[in-house]
Amino acid sequence: PEFLQSDSPAPVISSRSPASPAHPYHPHEKNNFLEAVRLTGSVGSGGWKGDATWTGKHGSTLSLGSTISQRGIEEVGATAGYKSHDWHRVPDIEVGASMKPGKPGVTYSAKISKVLDGSLEPTVSAQLTNSGWSLGTSFSKELKDGVDMEMDLKMPISGSRKVDLVVDGKTTYKVKGGKLVGTVGGKASSGLRGVSYGMSYDLGL
């Protein structure tokens, strides 16, 4: 019958997909605290040194470490670092403190650093410690695939205003799940007899 017919158009069914979640899931994000922690350490003639370091998504860090020799625990310490990931003119900041069980006093340090523009993108820094302060610069360069070299030059100035030059070199070999690092360094005032070397590791769980 005509009185049952309607002049209104048929309803349109929306084909839009469901709204995306406000916070999309990223499969590569670290979902818990332990996934953001790495264990590092080194073994040499002086004993074993190990650290557990948590790293935030923007590069800020919190680290706890200790040094153990044949005589037992030699030192324990903690370090906190802030990375200025989205502030071009703000430097990175790092503070730390350590102590030796059975001995009085605390060793402290505070450091600010900034990466400069250039072909090697050198990092310049200023550091304050119990023994004085220092100025420094460092840079890194890839020698070949999986092998990197770093150089670190520092000019420490003690409380007596005595100036020295410290040179440290580091070569990194990348392996599956981590890296191996060889180091060599020394002071200008000590000559060849003051050269030190070592090997360290950085492996994920």
Side-chain angles (χ1 to χ4, degrees):
E2 294 182 358
F3 65 89
L4 294 178
Q5 296 179 355
S6 173
D7 295 331
S8 301
V12 178
I13 300 177
S14 174
S15 60
R16 291 183 301 174
S17 59
S20 301
H23 302 285
Y25 171 72
H26 297 284
H28 299 295
E29 286 187 354
K30 297 177 180 179
N31 297 320
N32 58 58
F33 179 83
L34 291 179
E35 289 183 356
V37 175
R38 293 191 69 86
L39 303 179
T40 60
S42 60
V43 179
S45 58
W48 172 84
K49 180 179 180 180
D51 294 273
T53 303
W54 170 86
T55 303
K57 63 179 181 179
H58 297 305
S60 295
T61 59
L62 178 62
S63 178
L64 302 175
S66 62
T67 301
I68 300 176
S69 70
Q70 295 179 350
R71 297 183 295 271
I73 299 177
E74 297 286 347
E75 187 176 23
V76 293
T79 304
Y82 166 75
K83 286 288 186 180
S84 57
H85 62 281
D86 55 358
W87 297 90
H88 181 69
R89 297 183 180 180
V90 176
D92 298 336
I93 302 173
E94 183 179 278
V95 295
S98 63
M99 63 173 294
K100 297 180 179 180
K103 296 183 179 181
V106 175
T107 300
Y108 64 85
S109 66
K111 180 180 179 180
I112 60 174
S113 60
K114 185 64 180 175
V115 178
L116 302 181
D117 296 331
S119 58
L120 293 176
E121 295 186 339
T123 299
V124 295
S125 62
Q127 185 173 16
L128 175 66
T129 65
N130 299 66
S131 58
W133 60 286
S134 66
L135 302 175
T137 183
S138 62
F139 64 89
S140 61
K141 182 177 179 59
E142 184 179 19
L143 300 180
K144 62 179 182 179
D145 188 27
V147 181
D148 299 325
M149 179 195 70
E150 296 182 22
M151 290 296 296
D152 189 354
L153 306 176
K154 291 182 180 179
M155 186 176 65
I157 303 174
S158 64
S160 59
R161 296 187 179 181
K162 184 178 179 180
V163 180
D164 202 352
L165 180 63
V166 181
V167 180
D168 289 300
K170 180 169 67 174
T171 303
T172 302
Y173 300 87
K174 296 179 181 178
V175 297
K176 185 177 181 180
K179 60 185 178 181
L180 300 175
V181 181
T183 59
V184 61
K187 295 181 179 181
S189 59
S190 300
L192 294 177
R193 291 179 296 179
V195 174
S196 61
Y197 60 90
M199 179 71 72
S200 63
Y201 60 88
D202 181 354
L203 303 174
L205 296 178

